[in-house]
Amino acid sequence: MRTTAVLLIGICGLLAKAFVGQSDSWGRLPSRSVAPAALWDQFLPKDPVDVPLNASALSNRLQDVIFTVMKKGLPQVDIDLPAGLILGVEGEEPDELEPRALQAKAGDSDKAKAAKKEREVRGDRELAGAFVQFFYEFKNSVNLCVLFRNPGLANLARTAWGDFGKARVVGFPSSKSVQDSADVAKLLRNRPWVLAVAPRARQLRQLQELSEMPDVKMQLILANARVRCRKQGEDLRRDVATASNPVLHVSFMSKDALVFKSIDTPWVMVRRDGTEIWRGDEEPSREVLLDVLKR
Ligand SMILES: *[C@@H]1O[C@H](CO)[C@@H](O)[C@H](O)[C@H]1NC(C)=O
Protein backbone atom coordinates (compact mmCIF):
# COMPACT_ATOMS: atom_id res chain seq x y z
CA MET A 1 0.00 0.00 0.00
CA ARG A 2 1.30 3.40 -0.86
CA THR A 3 1.91 5.95 1.79
CA THR A 4 0.08 9.18 2.27
CA ALA A 5 3.24 11.01 1.38
CA VAL A 6 3.10 9.67 -2.16
CA LEU A 7 -0.53 10.58 -2.49
CA LEU A 8 0.09 14.06 -1.28
CA ILE A 9 2.82 14.82 -3.77
CA GLY A 10 1.67 17.07 -6.55
CA ILE A 11 -1.06 19.55 -6.25
CA CYS A 12 -1.50 19.13 -2.53
CA GLY A 13 1.81 20.77 -1.76
CA LEU A 14 0.69 23.87 -3.55
CA LEU A 15 -2.62 23.61 -1.88
CA ALA A 16 -1.19 23.50 1.62
CA LYS A 17 0.86 26.58 0.85
CA ALA A 18 -2.09 28.43 -0.55
CA PHE A 19 -4.36 27.79 2.40
CA VAL A 20 -2.08 27.71 5.39
CA GLY A 21 -3.77 29.44 8.29
CA GLN A 22 -7.24 28.76 7.00
CA SER A 23 -7.43 25.16 8.07
CA ASP A 24 -8.81 26.02 11.49
CA SER A 25 -12.11 26.87 9.88
CA TRP A 26 -12.52 23.25 8.71
CA GLY A 27 -13.62 21.78 12.02
CA ARG A 28 -17.22 21.58 10.90
CA LEU A 29 -19.06 21.47 7.62
CA PRO A 30 -20.15 24.73 6.11
CA SER A 31 -23.84 25.45 6.24
CA ARG A 32 -26.02 24.73 3.24
CA SER A 33 -27.82 28.03 3.40
CA VAL A 34 -25.37 30.03 1.34
CA ALA A 35 -26.32 32.57 -1.28
CA PRO A 36 -27.21 30.87 -4.57
CA ALA A 37 -25.10 31.10 -7.68
CA ALA A 38 -27.24 33.78 -9.23
CA LEU A 39 -25.99 36.16 -6.61
CA TRP A 40 -22.35 35.77 -7.54
CA ASP A 41 -23.12 35.98 -11.18
CA GLN A 42 -24.62 39.43 -10.91
CA PHE A 43 -21.13 40.78 -10.48
CA LEU A 44 -19.51 39.45 -13.60
CA PRO A 45 -16.37 41.37 -14.31
CA LYS A 46 -15.98 43.06 -17.67
CA ASP A 47 -12.23 42.62 -17.43
CA PRO A 48 -10.32 39.98 -19.35
CA VAL A 49 -10.90 36.53 -17.88
CA ASP A 50 -7.82 34.81 -16.53
CA VAL A 51 -8.07 31.47 -18.33
CA PRO A 52 -5.55 28.82 -17.27
CA LEU A 53 -3.65 27.83 -20.41
CA ASN A 54 -1.50 25.05 -19.02
CA ALA A 55 -2.01 22.15 -16.63
CA SER A 56 -0.24 23.72 -13.67
CA ALA A 57 -2.25 26.93 -13.92
CA LEU A 58 -5.34 24.75 -14.17
CA SER A 59 -4.32 22.75 -11.07
CA ASN A 60 -3.97 25.98 -9.14
CA ARG A 61 -7.38 27.13 -10.26
CA LEU A 62 -8.90 23.79 -9.36
CA GLN A 63 -7.53 24.08 -5.83
CA ASP A 64 -9.05 27.53 -5.41
CA VAL A 65 -12.36 26.19 -6.65
CA ILE A 66 -12.39 23.14 -4.38
CA PHE A 67 -11.58 25.37 -1.45
CA THR A 68 -14.42 27.74 -2.26
CA VAL A 69 -16.87 24.90 -2.80
CA MET A 70 -16.04 23.43 0.61
CA LYS A 71 -16.10 26.77 2.35
CA LYS A 72 -19.40 27.94 0.91
CA GLY A 73 -21.00 24.51 1.07
CA LEU A 74 -22.80 25.02 -2.21
CA PRO A 75 -25.44 22.31 -2.48
CA GLN A 76 -24.71 21.19 -6.04
CA VAL A 77 -21.76 22.00 -8.25
CA ASP A 78 -20.17 20.57 -11.37
CA ILE A 79 -16.62 20.56 -12.62
CA ASP A 80 -15.53 19.48 -16.07
CA LEU A 81 -11.93 19.18 -17.17
CA PRO A 82 -10.74 18.03 -20.60
CA ALA A 83 -11.04 14.26 -21.01
CA GLY A 84 -7.93 12.34 -20.03
CA LEU A 85 -6.11 15.25 -18.43
CA ILE A 86 -3.44 14.25 -15.93
CA LEU A 87 -3.08 16.84 -13.18
CA GLY A 88 -0.26 15.08 -11.36
CA VAL A 89 -2.36 13.80 -8.49
CA GLU A 90 -1.02 10.24 -8.69
CA GLY A 91 2.56 11.42 -8.68
CA GLU A 92 3.27 11.93 -12.38
CA GLU A 93 4.18 15.22 -13.99
CA PRO A 94 1.11 17.15 -15.12
CA ASP A 95 0.22 16.90 -18.79
CA GLU A 96 0.02 19.45 -21.47
CA LEU A 97 -3.40 21.06 -21.50
CA GLU A 98 -4.42 19.89 -24.94
CA PRO A 99 -7.35 18.19 -26.64
CA ARG A 100 -7.20 14.40 -26.76
CA ALA A 101 -9.29 12.48 -29.24
CA LEU A 102 -10.70 9.95 -26.79
CA GLN A 103 -14.00 9.21 -28.51
CA ALA A 104 -13.84 5.71 -29.95
CA LYS A 105 -14.08 5.77 -33.76
CA ALA A 106 -15.46 3.11 -36.08
CA GLY A 107 -12.03 2.15 -37.42
CA ASP A 108 -10.35 1.81 -34.01
CA SER A 109 -8.87 -1.54 -33.09
CA ASP A 110 -9.99 -3.04 -29.78
CA LYS A 111 -6.63 -2.15 -28.38
CA ALA A 112 -6.97 1.48 -29.44
CA LYS A 113 -10.47 1.62 -27.98
CA ALA A 114 -9.29 0.18 -24.70
CA ALA A 115 -6.39 2.64 -24.55
CA LYS A 116 -8.72 5.59 -25.10
CA LYS A 117 -11.14 4.35 -22.48
CA GLU A 118 -8.33 3.82 -20.00
CA ARG A 119 -7.01 7.30 -20.58
CA GLU A 120 -10.42 8.83 -20.02
CA VAL A 121 -10.91 6.82 -16.83
CA ARG A 122 -7.48 7.98 -15.69
CA GLY A 123 -8.39 11.64 -16.26
CA ASP A 124 -11.63 11.22 -14.29
CA ARG A 125 -9.68 9.61 -11.47
CA GLU A 126 -7.18 12.46 -11.41
CA LEU A 127 -9.96 14.98 -10.87
CA ALA A 128 -11.54 12.81 -8.18
CA GLY A 129 -8.12 12.35 -6.59
CA ALA A 130 -7.67 16.10 -6.32
CA PHE A 131 -10.82 16.24 -4.17
CA VAL A 132 -9.77 13.25 -2.13
CA GLN A 133 -6.42 14.88 -1.38
CA PHE A 134 -8.09 18.11 -0.46
CA PHE A 135 -10.53 16.50 1.96
CA TYR A 136 -7.64 14.50 3.40
CA GLU A 137 -5.53 17.61 3.97
CA PHE A 138 -8.40 19.32 5.71
CA LYS A 139 -9.21 16.24 7.79
CA ASN A 140 -12.64 16.14 6.25
CA SER A 141 -12.43 12.79 4.43
CA VAL A 142 -14.77 11.13 6.89
CA ASN A 143 -17.51 13.30 5.36
CA LEU A 144 -16.74 12.37 1.75
CA CYS A 145 -18.16 9.65 -0.45
CA VAL A 146 -16.58 9.20 -3.87
CA LEU A 147 -19.03 7.49 -6.14
CA PHE A 148 -17.76 5.97 -9.39
CA ARG A 149 -19.90 4.61 -12.23
CA ASN A 150 -19.35 1.03 -11.12
CA PRO A 151 -17.57 -0.95 -8.41
CA GLY A 152 -14.71 -1.87 -10.77
CA LEU A 153 -13.69 1.77 -11.25
CA ALA A 154 -13.90 2.33 -7.51
CA ASN A 155 -11.53 -0.61 -6.98
CA LEU A 156 -9.09 0.80 -9.50
CA ALA A 157 -9.14 4.13 -7.70
CA ARG A 158 -8.60 2.56 -4.29
CA THR A 159 -5.57 0.72 -5.64
CA ALA A 160 -4.16 3.77 -7.40
CA TRP A 161 -4.60 6.03 -4.39
CA GLY A 162 -3.49 3.56 -1.72
CA ASP A 163 -4.22 5.76 1.22
CA PHE A 164 -7.20 8.03 0.93
CA GLY A 165 -7.95 8.72 4.56
CA LYS A 166 -11.44 7.93 5.72
CA ALA A 167 -13.14 8.73 2.44
CA ARG A 168 -15.63 6.11 1.27
CA VAL A 169 -14.76 5.11 -2.30
CA VAL A 170 -17.52 3.08 -3.92
CA GLY A 171 -19.28 2.47 -7.24
CA PHE A 172 -22.91 2.58 -8.24
CA PRO A 173 -24.35 -0.91 -7.91
CA SER A 174 -24.50 -2.68 -11.26
CA SER A 175 -27.55 -1.94 -13.34
CA LYS A 176 -28.56 -5.61 -13.23
CA SER A 177 -29.28 -5.59 -9.53
CA VAL A 178 -32.58 -3.96 -8.64
CA GLN A 179 -31.70 -0.37 -8.17
CA ASP A 180 -33.43 2.84 -7.29
CA SER A 181 -32.54 6.01 -5.45
CA ALA A 182 -32.99 4.27 -2.10
CA ASP A 183 -30.13 1.86 -2.92
CA VAL A 184 -27.93 4.78 -3.80
CA ALA A 185 -28.98 6.59 -0.63
CA LYS A 186 -27.70 3.60 1.37
CA LEU A 187 -24.29 3.91 -0.25
CA LEU A 188 -24.08 7.57 0.70
CA ARG A 189 -25.23 7.12 4.30
CA ASN A 190 -23.60 9.57 6.75
CA ARG A 191 -21.48 11.18 4.05
CA PRO A 192 -22.74 14.72 3.43
CA TRP A 193 -20.27 15.33 0.60
CA VAL A 194 -20.84 13.22 -2.47
CA LEU A 195 -18.43 13.35 -5.37
CA ALA A 196 -19.98 11.62 -8.38
CA VAL A 197 -17.28 10.77 -10.90
CA ALA A 198 -18.34 10.78 -14.57
CA PRO A 199 -21.83 9.45 -13.79
CA ARG A 200 -23.98 7.96 -16.53
CA ALA A 201 -27.28 9.64 -17.46
CA ARG A 202 -29.31 7.14 -15.46
CA GLN A 203 -27.09 7.71 -12.44
CA LEU A 204 -27.36 11.47 -12.79
CA ARG A 205 -31.12 11.09 -12.65
CA GLN A 206 -30.89 9.08 -9.43
CA LEU A 207 -28.59 11.62 -7.85
CA GLN A 208 -30.85 14.43 -8.91
CA GLU A 209 -33.90 12.70 -7.40
CA LEU A 210 -31.99 12.09 -4.23
CA SER A 211 -30.74 15.63 -3.88
CA GLU A 212 -34.29 16.93 -4.20
CA MET A 213 -35.60 14.81 -1.32
CA PRO A 214 -36.25 17.10 1.62
CA ASP A 215 -34.72 14.77 4.21
CA VAL A 216 -31.49 14.15 2.30
CA LYS A 217 -28.61 16.43 3.23
CA MET A 218 -26.20 16.13 0.38
CA GLN A 219 -23.56 18.42 -1.06
CA LEU A 220 -23.29 16.98 -4.52
CA ILE A 221 -20.19 17.52 -6.63
CA LEU A 222 -20.39 16.29 -10.21
CA ALA A 223 -16.95 15.58 -11.66
CA ASN A 224 -16.72 15.28 -15.45
CA ALA A 225 -20.47 14.69 -15.68
CA ARG A 226 -20.40 16.50 -19.04
CA VAL A 227 -23.71 18.28 -18.61
CA ARG A 228 -22.47 21.57 -20.09
CA CYS A 229 -22.30 23.07 -23.55
CA ARG A 230 -24.25 20.17 -25.01
CA LYS A 231 -26.37 20.07 -28.12
CA GLN A 232 -29.74 21.74 -27.64
CA GLY A 233 -32.54 19.47 -26.47
CA GLU A 234 -30.75 16.95 -24.27
CA ASP A 235 -33.28 17.11 -21.51
CA LEU A 236 -31.89 15.18 -18.61
CA ARG A 237 -28.48 16.78 -18.77
CA ARG A 238 -30.18 20.13 -19.24
CA ASP A 239 -32.19 19.63 -16.03
CA VAL A 240 -29.13 18.63 -14.09
CA ALA A 241 -27.21 21.59 -15.45
CA THR A 242 -29.98 23.94 -14.38
CA ALA A 243 -29.90 22.62 -10.82
CA SER A 244 -26.13 22.79 -10.60
CA ASN A 245 -23.46 25.42 -10.35
CA PRO A 246 -20.68 25.29 -12.96
CA VAL A 247 -17.83 26.19 -10.63
CA LEU A 248 -15.19 25.11 -13.14
CA HIS A 249 -15.55 24.19 -16.77
CA VAL A 250 -12.69 23.66 -19.19
CA SER A 251 -13.31 21.90 -22.49
CA PHE A 252 -11.99 21.98 -26.01
CA MET A 253 -14.36 22.86 -28.84
CA SER A 254 -11.61 22.40 -31.41
CA LYS A 255 -7.84 21.93 -31.36
CA ASP A 256 -7.45 25.66 -30.89
CA ALA A 257 -10.54 26.69 -28.92
CA LEU A 258 -10.99 26.33 -25.19
CA VAL A 259 -14.28 26.97 -23.38
CA PHE A 260 -13.89 28.22 -19.85
CA LYS A 261 -16.09 29.19 -16.92
CA SER A 262 -15.31 29.46 -13.25
CA ILE A 263 -16.68 31.08 -10.12
CA ASP A 264 -17.11 34.80 -10.75
CA THR A 265 -16.33 34.63 -14.46
CA PRO A 266 -18.60 34.68 -17.49
CA TRP A 267 -18.47 31.87 -20.03
CA VAL A 268 -15.69 32.51 -22.51
CA MET A 269 -14.10 30.78 -25.46
CA VAL A 270 -10.43 31.52 -26.07
CA ARG A 271 -7.74 30.49 -28.49
CA ARG A 272 -4.84 28.45 -27.14
CA ASP A 273 -2.81 31.66 -26.92
CA GLY A 274 -5.51 33.18 -24.68
CA THR A 275 -7.20 35.46 -27.23
CA GLU A 276 -10.86 35.72 -26.33
CA ILE A 277 -13.21 34.94 -29.23
CA TRP A 278 -16.57 34.72 -27.44
CA ARG A 279 -18.13 35.64 -24.11
CA GLY A 280 -21.57 35.31 -22.55
CA ASP A 281 -23.27 35.35 -19.15
CA GLU A 282 -25.41 32.33 -20.06
CA GLU A 283 -24.06 28.88 -20.75
CA PRO A 284 -23.74 28.47 -24.53
CA SER A 285 -25.00 25.42 -26.40
CA ARG A 286 -22.61 23.45 -28.55
CA GLU A 287 -24.27 24.90 -31.65
CA VAL A 288 -23.60 28.46 -30.54
CA LEU A 289 -19.92 27.73 -29.94
CA LEU A 290 -19.47 25.89 -33.22
CA ASP A 291 -21.11 28.82 -34.97
CA VAL A 292 -18.55 31.19 -33.49
CA LEU A 293 -15.77 28.95 -34.76
CA LYS A 294 -17.20 29.02 -38.29
CA ARG A 295 -17.06 32.78 -38.48
C1 LIG B 1 1.34 28.39 -17.07
O1 LIG B 1 0.50 29.53 -17.23
C2 LIG B 1 0.74 30.56 -16.29
C3 LIG B 1 -0.26 31.66 -16.54
O2 LIG B 1 -1.56 31.18 -16.58
C4 LIG B 1 2.16 31.07 -16.39
O3 LIG B 1 2.40 32.04 -15.41
C5 LIG B 1 3.12 29.91 -16.22
O4 LIG B 1 4.43 30.35 -16.44
C6 LIG B 1 2.79 28.79 -17.19
N1 LIG B 1 3.63 27.63 -16.88
C7 LIG B 1 4.26 26.95 -17.82
C8 LIG B 1 5.03 25.76 -17.32
O5 LIG B 1 4.22 27.25 -18.99
Side-chain angles (χ1 to χ4, degrees):
M1 193 146 126
R2 293 184 197 205
T3 64
T4 319
V6 172
L7 180 72
L8 293 178
I9 289 173
I11 73 166
C12 238
L14 289 165
L15 184 160
K17 260 184 270 164
F19 299 121
V20 148
Q22 297 190 32
S23 53
D24 57 350
S25 63
W26 290 93
R28 63 184 177 80
L29 281 175
S31 128
R32 256 169 92 90
S33 57
V34 171
L39 276 184
W40 331 338
D41 287 352
Q42 283 169 15
F43 304 106
L44 292 178
K46 297 281 178 273
D47 316 329
V49 173
D50 180 18
V51 178
L53 297 171
N54 58 49
S56 65
L58 181 54
S59 281
N60 289 338
R61 185 63 70 95
L62 177 63
Q63 290 152 33
D64 291 351
V65 165
I66 299 176
F67 183 73
T68 306
V69 166
M70 283 186 65
K71 199 168 67 170
K72 293 195 182 221
L74 302 172
Q76 183 168 338
V77 301
D78 56 278
I79 296 187
D80 279 335
L81 299 187
L85 181 74
I86 289 179
L87 295 161
V89 172
E90 291 178 16
E92 281 168 46
E93 284 295 301
D95 261 337
E96 292 294 311
L97 179 57
E98 64 183 15
R100 294 184 176 76
L102 296 182
Q103 297 291 346
K105 289 207 217 69
D108 281 346
S109 66
D110 286 352
K111 199 173 158 197
K113 272 189 216 148
K116 284 179 175 179
K117 189 78 232 157
E118 189 182 318
R119 179 63 188 232
E120 188 170 7
V121 162
R122 178 67 204 281
D124 294 340
R125 206 169 65 219
E126 285 272 325
L127 176 53
F131 274 92
V132 168
Q133 286 187 345
F134 201 104
F135 276 72
Y136 190 106
E137 280 277 289
F138 286 100
K139 304 195 171 32
N140 202 7
S141 15
V142 70
N143 289 309
L144 178 67
C145 178
V146 185
L147 187 55
F148 283 89
R149 276 204 301 269
N150 60 52
L153 292 174
N155 278 339
L156 280 178
R158 281 197 294 265
T159 308
W161 294 338
D163 184 352
F164 40 89
K166 296 196 169 79
R168 183 183 297 154
V169 180
V170 290
F172 272 91
S174 89
S175 53
K176 287 185 201 87
S177 55
V178 184
Q179 192 193 135
D180 59 19
S181 308
D183 292 326
V184 181
K186 267 183 237 148
L187 272 182
L188 309 179
R189 209 176 54 251
N190 303 330
R191 301 283 167 147
W193 291 90
V194 175
L195 175 71
V197 188
R200 296 186 190 291
R202 162 177 62 80
Q203 300 171 338
L204 271 175
R205 188 177 306 117
Q206 288 172 337
L207 289 169
Q208 196 65 43
E209 279 169 23
L210 215 54
S211 73
E212 284 161 9
M213 290 180 186
D215 53 335
V216 173
K217 293 258 184 301
M218 173 162 77
Q219 321 252 159
L220 180 59
I221 303 161
L222 301 173
N224 287 349
R226 313 292 181 206
V227 297
R228 303 283 166 190
C229 305
R230 313 277 305 190
K231 283 187 196 144
Q232 280 155 13
E234 290 185 81
D235 287 343
L236 169 70
R237 293 195 191 261
R238 193 64 261 142
D239 291 350
V240 172
T242 307
S244 178
N245 220 310
V247 289
L248 185 60
H249 178 96
V250 182
S251 66
F252 284 95
M253 281 305 292
S254 77
K255 276 197 165 62
D256 189 41
L258 193 63
V259 181
F260 178 81
K261 160 91 175 107
S262 188
I263 299 169
D264 293 334
T265 82
W267 288 88
V268 292
M269 183 156 62
V270 300
R271 298 266 177 226
R272 298 283 295 280
D273 66 4
T275 318
E276 188 174 310
I277 49 180
W278 179 88
R279 155 183 308 219
D281 289 349
E282 299 289 324
E283 178 192 338
S285 67
R286 186 175 168 78
E287 287 90 340
V288 164
L289 293 168
L290 289 176
D291 232 38
V292 173
L293 292 178
K294 273 191 228 140
R295 275 183 221 150

